[in-house]
Amino acid sequence: MAEQAKAQIGVTGLAVMGRNLARNLARNGFRVAVHNRNWERTRSLIAEHGDEGTFVAAESMADFVAALERPRAVIVMVKAGAPTDAVIDELATLLEPGDIVVDCGNAHFADTQRREAALREHGLHFVGTGVSGGEEGALHGPSIMPGGSAESYQKLGPIFEKIAAQVDGVPCCRHIGPGGAGHFVKMVHNGIEYADMQLIAEAYDLLRAGLGAEPAELAEIFREWNRGELESFLIEITGDVLAHADAATGRPFVDVVRDQAEQKGTGRWTVQSALDLGIPITGIAEATFARSLSGHADQREAARRAFPGGGAQLKVEDRDAFVEDVRRALLASKIVAYAQGFDHISAGSREYDWNIDLGGTATIWRGGCIIRARFLDRIREAYDEQPDLPTLLVAPYFAEAVSAGVPGWRRIVAEAARAGVPVPAFASSLAYFDALRAERLPAALIQGLRDNFGAHTYHRVDRAGTFHTLWAGDRSEVEA
Ligand code: 6PG
């Protein structure tokens, strides 16, 4: 094949995400080689969408690699874990130094680090790339978060920036940093996605308990909210899901869906990584645990029987004021979730030496991805103004939104506790806020207890040094 007729990029793994990415590339004028273990899938892609651009269909992996221009860029879009490793191993034997392997699946960043180091030994670039936006995003413009070497981005950047979502003429794609940085940032994106959804779900639950309204009526409230500061993809689709009626029964769709939230694991990874890094991403953790709790059907059943009377109603005197309190509580808790997520990225960047631009990350989440939201522009502005911001909560726009929301936030959390409506993410976010701003924390007592039973020592507020009290002796203090 003449070099100029060769494909500029290849996609192997043509399930929905791979197929849609390949179509997006072809629609944007790139020559795309396509391959799938099962040829029928490749054939059907060409039969159904071959006219959308230039596809080069390959039956074997060797033909697929041979169809690519140099340096070759191959997107791997297969299941995370062992299937990804198998495809990478096969590719490594066929590719040449300088070629690029891109993993666009939801891989764990530690796996990406390992694969990157292994392929580097062969002179190959391995680019773990976060892709958000689901099937629709992959086809019409996702948010793309590539890690890997700066050199690989020279080839991939112009391609990815073209197929990504565009907001105000700016592509929702940028080089995140070396190694596993791209997948790390995608992981935190998903953690924030978990928190965002849990907060929306708690807001819905409160509104339903407080207003006694049907889901379709509540949909209107979310649609209204989507015209203000809360404007975001998730709030928008909440309106759609709540308004939807089940065709089989005519009942509200949310009432016929089993109330057990599932997960593929990215939220859990986020919490595990935050524990390792010592970053309190409490909202994301609550959201992840809330999903786990919902799935423990047996325990829930036993507790329902032992403690009947759940599902109490909230007492609401002024409906409009109540809805506004919930809105403000949602906004404030959401700001906490994003503040924690960005803290996590910043800690990961320091730990692994990735030099991630936080404002730049906010920029590429403005479009295409699941957590796209109006206030990401404000996050970008906050980090542009002060790159070493200690926490997003103190940036002027967010500080104002949180301060304005505090009274309503407290009323909502207190009323929910009184009525027995579980709001773990709202309550935990408020506690995080109060803990951060506390003059003194009871952590001092914990230090005292640790020193008492284990001679773990403590620091004093009035003098430098490390101290221990002789608790079992005369209780005098010694310098440790
Ligand atoms: C995205 C999403 C996506 C994720 C799903 C399912 O950014 O497009 O984050 O990558 O796979 O949302 O995640 P859970 O099954 O864990 O909810």
Side-chain angles (χ1 to χ4, degrees):
M1 196 187 291
E3 198 64 23
Q4 62 274 23
K6 287 194 171 182
Q8 292 152 293
I9 190 156
V11 180
T12 178
L14 300 175
V16 186
M17 287 297 285
R19 188 181 168 97
N20 282 0
L21 263 187
R23 290 175 60 198
N24 186 354
L25 287 160
R27 287 170 169 199
N28 275 289
F30 297 106
R31 296 185 302 278
V32 195
V34 283
H35 168 263
N36 194 71
R37 203 154 286 278
N38 167 358
W39 165 249
E40 181 47 34
R41 257 213 176 129
T42 315
R43 205 200 52 75
S44 82
L45 167 63
I46 303 301
E48 286 162 38
H49 306 289
D51 58 352
E52 290 179 1
T54 309
F55 293 99
V56 183
E59 208 163 343
S60 71
M61 195 62 109
D63 288 350
F64 172 66
V65 167
L68 292 163
E69 69 177 25
R70 288 199 179 94
R72 302 179 184 90
V74 178
I75 295 178
V76 178
M77 208 65 220
V78 300
K79 266 202 175 138
T84 299
D85 275 320
V87 172
I88 293 169
D89 287 349
E90 190 177 357
L91 277 169
T93 62
L94 297 166
L95 295 173
E96 291 171 320
D99 289 347
I100 305 164
V101 178
V102 188
D103 176 7
C104 284
N106 268 337
H108 193 292
F109 75 94
D111 286 336
T112 302
Q113 305 264 75
R114 169 178 59 77
R115 290 170 180 143
E116 201 266 338
L119 289 203
R120 204 170 343 119
E121 297 274 293
H122 295 93
L124 299 173
H125 299 276
F126 183 75
V127 182
T129 300
V131 178
S132 178
E135 297 168 13
E136 283 298 295
L139 184 60
H140 300 292
S143 170
I144 310 181
M145 299 151 247
S149 64
E151 199 186 326
S152 63
Y153 196 75
Q154 281 173 10
K155 159 109 189 182
L156 298 173
I159 302 177
F160 283 172
E161 289 179 17
K162 188 137 187 234
I163 66 160
Q166 313 284 321
V167 175
D168 304 332
V170 180
C172 293
C173 171
R174 65 181 283 133
H175 183 226
I176 300 288
H183 274 145
F184 183 90
V185 163
K186 175 63 184 7
M187 175 189 77
V188 177
H189 165 285
N190 281 28
I192 296 174
E193 175 184 306
Y194 276 45
D196 225 338
M197 286 197 278
Q198 175 65 24
L199 292 167
I200 288 173
E202 289 178 16
Y204 149 75
D205 208 23
L206 284 163
L207 291 173
R208 198 160 182 188
L211 303 178
E214 285 298 298
E217 295 169 68
L218 301 178
E220 286 313 314
I221 295 177
F222 282 92
R223 285 181 176 146
E224 180 57 38
W225 288 355
N226 201 38
R227 287 190 272 273
E229 294 158 297
L230 279 169
E231 182 190 323
S232 61
F233 172 68
L234 285 169
I235 295 279
E236 179 194 327
I237 62 170
T238 300
D240 291 347
V241 173
L242 289 178
H244 184 58
D246 172 47
T249 59
R251 294 173 59 199
F253 169 78
V254 278
D255 287 349
V256 300
V257 175
R258 199 181 278 178
D259 61 349
Q260 297 177 16
E262 294 169 27
Q263 54 183 308
K264 295 200 191 72
T266 45
R268 188 172 65 240
W269 294 347
T270 315
V271 180
Q272 285 166 339
S273 153
L275 287 172
D276 289 341
L277 293 167
I279 303 300
I281 55 162
T282 53
I284 296 170
E286 283 297 349
T288 308
F289 284 128
R291 286 200 195 185
S292 315
L293 187 153
S294 75
H296 285 282
D298 292 352
Q299 285 186 330
R300 289 177 60 194
E301 177 57 28
R304 248 197 314 270
R305 267 191 266 114
F307 313 105
Q313 293 293 302
L314 284 168
K315 270 197 230 65
V316 172
E317 269 146 35
D318 180 335
R319 291 170 74 90
D320 288 348
F322 171 70
V323 172
E324 180 57 8
D325 277 356
V326 177
R327 188 190 71 82
R328 285 182 183 273
L330 176 57
L331 181 62
S333 303
K334 185 175 158 123
I335 292 170
V336 165
Y338 280 71
Q340 294 177 344
F342 275 85
D343 283 351
H344 190 181
I345 294 176
S346 161
S349 178
R350 273 195 310 276
E351 173 74 17
Y352 303 108
D353 226 355
W354 286 329
N355 200 18
I356 298 175
D357 182 320
L358 299 178
T361 302
T363 305
I364 64 166
W365 285 351
R366 293 182 309 159
C369 67
I370 304 296
I371 64 169
R372 58 187 184 262
R374 182 197 273 203
F375 82 2
L376 279 154
D377 258 331
R378 303 298 195 153
I379 298 182
R380 178 184 50 82
E381 282 165 19
Y383 282 115
D384 281 355
E385 238 153 71
Q386 196 184 338
D388 62 346
L389 198 61
T391 161
L392 258 185
L393 288 176
V394 301
Y397 172 82
F398 297 107
E400 218 177 288
V402 169
S403 298
V406 166
W409 202 4
R410 292 198 193 291
R411 277 192 292 272
I412 286 299
V413 170
E415 278 310 316
R418 242 193 294 272
V421 179
V423 286
F426 274 2
S428 152
S429 306
L430 180 57
Y432 173 86
F433 166 74
D434 280 328
L436 266 194
R437 64 192 275 275
E439 289 289 338
R440 288 276 294 161
L441 286 172
L445 175 58
I446 294 173
Q447 284 296 80
L449 298 175
R450 292 176 69 246
D451 190 56
N452 180 300
F453 67 67
H456 292 301
T457 74
Y458 53 87
H459 299 284
R460 296 182 56 99
V461 295
D462 52 359
R463 256 182 293 141
T466 305
F467 300 92
H468 168 56
T469 290
L470 302 170
W471 296 101
D474 64 358
R475 304 213 161 185
S476 61
E477 186 174 73
V478 292
E479 202 143 350

